[in-house]
Amino acid sequence: MDFLDAVILGLVEGLTEFLPVSSTGHLTLAENLLGLPIDDPGVTAFTAIIQFGAIVAVILYFRADIGRLIAAWWRGLFSRAARTNPDYRFAWYVIAGSIPIGVIGFLARDLIAGPLRNLWVVVAGLALWSIVMYVAERLGRQTRPEESLTLKDALIIGFVQCIALVPGVSRSGATISAGLLRNLNRVAATRLSFFLAIPALVGAGVYEGVSEASAVSASIGWPPVIVGTGVSFIVAYATIAWLLRLVARHPITVFIWYRLALAALITILLVTGVLSAT
């Protein structure tokens, strides 16, 4: 991998991480087009590590909210009165909702890095989850604000987030859809999606960086990883603000046609032999 490859992949990651279009699916496609072995441990680790740049962007963008949540959570540990603060409960909901993907992601790590790194899986994920997104927008009443969030909501949305371990589904697409089906409004569902992303992607990035450090050094090298992570941070920061404005005015179904078109394009490239599935 050279620096141009790293810049391209960082750009793809930053643009797609928080959109319901599957960043992993896009990275798998881009890596294949660039001639990189997508089943190589170093490339798989690179894909996870550069997501850390997007997460730093979320932390910076929501720094005031995150600081308020941490402070409320800490005060609530020692004060019964502080536990009535909605921020204290929301902080616990984010923690609880992050547990499922941590457990399942660890247990299924070989499956995620192996058989699921396949463009046919990406095609299936893009197409099939588009149906779920459509149903979520049509059936969800979107009457509940963020303040109405419950532990049950957080756990259900957290378990649905695990489905996004399948490339093509989209982590944000999964969590926002689940939030809508729980009748949260789009802004509340999207904000929760952002906060659930922080532990999930930080954990994945740190785990891959530590466990696959030798593979990254051998097949890619750390300078391209640093460049890709930096680019993903810059682009993701701009994407966050745009997405929040978009979901306040438009349904997530606006992304369905793009998802289906991309699935069709990948299928054509696979069938014609332009791309290989792995």
Side-chain angles (χ1 to χ4, degrees), residues 48-82:
I49 294 169
I50 64 169
Q51 294 175 333
F52 192 76
I55 288 307
V56 173
V58 168
I59 294 172
L60 182 61
Y61 190 89
F62 290 107
R63 60 190 179 278
D65 300 87
I66 293 171
R68 192 182 68 250
L69 290 172
I70 292 174
W73 179 79
W74 182 254
R75 287 194 299 269
L77 292 179
F78 305 99
S79 169
R80 182 183 298 273

Side-chain angles (χ1 to χ4, degrees), residues 20 126-142 173 176-178 180-181 186 251-257 259-260:
L126 286 167
L128 295 178
W129 200 261
S130 293
I131 300 172
V132 179
M133 290 168 59
Y134 178 84
V135 171
E137 277 286 356
R138 291 295 178 269
L139 296 185
R141 294 194 296 273
Q142 302 184 33
I176 294 173
S177 296
L180 294 179
L181 288 170
R186 278 195 300 273
I252 60 171
T253 48
V254 298
F255 294 99
I256 287 179
W257 290 113
R259 291 172 60 97
L260 294 177

Side-chain angles (χ1 to χ4, degrees), residues 56-119:
V56 173
V58 168
I59 294 172
L60 182 61
Y61 190 89
F62 290 107
R63 60 190 179 278
D65 300 87
I66 293 171
R68 192 182 68 250
L69 290 172
I70 292 174
W73 179 79
W74 182 254
R75 287 194 299 269
L77 292 179
F78 305 99
S79 169
R80 182 183 298 273
R83 293 170 197 162
T84 61
N85 188 333
D87 288 335
Y88 172 77
R89 294 194 299 273
F90 188 85
W92 273 116
Y93 296 158
V94 172
I95 294 170
S98 301
I99 292 173
I101 198 167
V103 174
I104 295 176
F106 178 77
L107 294 176
R109 61 192 183 280
D110 293 336
L111 179 65
I112 296 166
L116 291 183
R117 292 279 285 173
N118 185 299
L119 284 178

Side-chain angles (χ1 to χ4, degrees), residues 157-231:
I157 295 170
F159 274 106
V160 174
Q161 183 176 220
C162 298
I163 301 174
L165 294 170
V166 178
V169 170
S170 166
R171 193 202 56 78
S172 61
T175 51
I176 294 173
S177 296
L180 294 179
L181 288 170
R182 295 294 298 167
N183 298 317
L184 293 172
N185 62 47
R186 278 195 300 273
V187 173
T190 303
R191 277 176 54 84
L192 179 59
S193 175
F194 280 127
F195 285 111
L196 287 175
I198 296 173
L201 298 186
V202 167
V206 171
Y207 177 81
E208 291 291 340
V210 173
S211 64
E212 300 294 344
S214 59
V216 172
S217 299
S219 62
I220 293 176
W222 287 100
V225 174
I226 294 171
V227 169
T229 303
V231 172

Side-chain angles (χ1 to χ4, degrees), residues 239-253:
T239 305
I240 293 168
W242 177 78
L243 178 60
L244 286 172
R245 288 195 299 270
L246 179 73
V247 298
R249 299 175 176 84
H250 302 284
I252 60 171
T253 48

